[in-house]
Amino acid sequence: MTTTADSELLAWDESGGRPTLIVRGDWTLDKYVALGEQISRLRAEAGDLSAAQYDAGNVDLTGLEALDTAGASRLYELLGGELAGKLCGPESGLSAERGALLQTVASAMEAAGRPTRKRPHGALIEMLGRAGLAMETFWREIRALLGFMGFTLEALAHGLLRPRRWRVTSVVAQIETTGLNAVPIICLLNFLVGAVVAFLGATVLAEFGATIYTVNLVTFAFLRELAVLLTAILMAGRTASTFTAELGSMKVNEEIDATRVLGLSPVNLLVLPRVLALLVSLPILTFLAMIAGILGGAVVCALHLNISLVMFLNIFHDQIELRHFLVGMSKAPVFAFVIAVIGCLEGMKVSGSALSVGQHTTASVVHSIFVVILLDSVAALFFMEMEW
């Protein structure tokens, strides 16, 4: 026998009139690397065996002693899909089990290597498809949020009826973190915005000789809208992200799963203290924000408009009704509940990695701010229609 390529696993016999590929030995996982090297060497010497001129009669499998999935994948790599399919039949010399194994591996590798054909779509169809996916995602997020709100309210109602289950220490610690530590930034921001609003109002109203109404402008704006809105947005960026990062890290470290194994409810243990803390903190911060914003406006009035602090307080006392304060304060608990629930929900959605924590932290801030502004717009229209 004259061979141009010969090894313990492969041989290429050209002694007869018809070249024959001889497969022999063990084609198994422990020889996977050696098989690859010998296949490359054979191809370099004898060419591509998967060409159409070869058929099952060119391949001698009688010397094949063992074949597993790895060896079958190398055989498929050597012969190609068409020739490997011909060798799966009983006339090839392979046993029924080995033929079935080669057929299965060949089918799997062809399916894996087959490119997915995408039907071409027009720009309009593509845009409508993206819009549909966005609406589906939005609806899924809304359902998840409403479901988690209901779940939290149910746990809150059960907890209120059982004072022994209240986690006072945890709630107080969260109030310190979410409320007390946020007082400086809330007061400073509202003071500066109050000063800006007063300065802009004075500039515009001076053209009409009505600078005295700057007092009304500042107090109306902060009692009804700006104080609660700025505070809620700041808390959405500061507190909702903190809730998500804390719960997300616990989810990644499987601490939340451990609480479930111990028979404890993560909602009672982790969510309710945060919700209650923000329900207490946000109204108090809103009240402080009103004072800071009005004080900022009063400073500008005193320095720029010669409206003394006594005159400012007299106008405030005589012309500003209590209902404006109540309208602003009534929105604070609603915003607090929404921000806390969104922060905790996004933390519970975290799965697997630190990247997921970052993604859901960003989502909690964006969703919280969006929902706060949406609710504030609806509330403004409602109060305006009710003439409150």
Side-chain angles (χ1 to χ4, degrees), residues 34 42 109 111 119 178 183 211 231 235 306 318 349 354 360 367:
L42 178 66
M109 295 186 73
R119 297 178 58 186
T178 61
V183 168
T211 53
T231 305
M235 297 304 284
N306 293 324
D318 295 337
K349 287 181 180 177
H360 284 283
H367 294 174

Side-chain angles (χ1 to χ4, degrees), residues 263-347:
L264 301 173
S265 169
V267 175
N268 293 330
L269 187 66
L270 302 172
V271 176
L272 284 187
R274 287 171 169 79
V275 173
L276 291 173
L278 205 55
L279 283 173
V280 173
S281 300
L282 192 55
I284 296 175
L285 291 173
T286 300
F287 179 71
L288 295 175
M290 290 176 179
I291 296 175
I294 293 173
L295 184 60
V299 170
V300 172
C301 288
L303 298 178
H304 188 66
L305 304 176
N306 293 324
I307 299 175
S308 66
L309 183 60
V310 175
M311 185 184 298
F312 188 97
L313 293 176
N314 285 332
I315 296 173
F316 179 77
H317 179 267
D318 295 337
Q319 300 184 11
I320 306 303
E321 300 177 22
L322 179 63
R323 62 187 176 93
H324 302 305
F325 169 75
L326 297 178
V327 165
M329 291 299 296
S330 66
K331 292 184 278 188
V334 179
F335 292 168
F337 180 75
V338 170
I339 292 169
V341 167
I342 290 176
C344 294
L345 173 62
E346 292 298 326

Side-chain angles (χ1 to χ4, degrees), residues 21-25 59-65 91-94 98:
L21 173 68
I22 301 173
V23 178
R24 57 195 179 194
V59 183
D60 181 8
L61 299 174
T62 55
L64 185 64
E65 298 176 359
E91 66 277 2
S92 65
L94 282 177
R98 291 178 179 175

Side-chain angles (χ1 to χ4, degrees), residues 44-62:
E45 297 179 4
D48 187 5
L49 298 177
S50 61
Q53 64 267 28
Y54 299 104
D55 57 23
N58 295 85
V59 183
D60 181 8
L61 299 174
T62 55

Side-chain angles (χ1 to χ4, degrees), residues 159 162-167:
R162 297 173 177 82
R164 291 185 178 181
R165 294 187 178 181
W166 295 357
R167 302 182 183 279

Side-chain angles (χ1 to χ4, degrees), residues 364-384:
S364 71
V365 175
V366 175
H367 294 174
S368 300
I369 293 175
F370 173 77
V371 174
V372 163
I373 294 176
L374 177 65
L375 290 178
D376 187 69
S377 304
V378 174
L381 293 175
F382 174 76
F383 290 133
M384 184 179 66

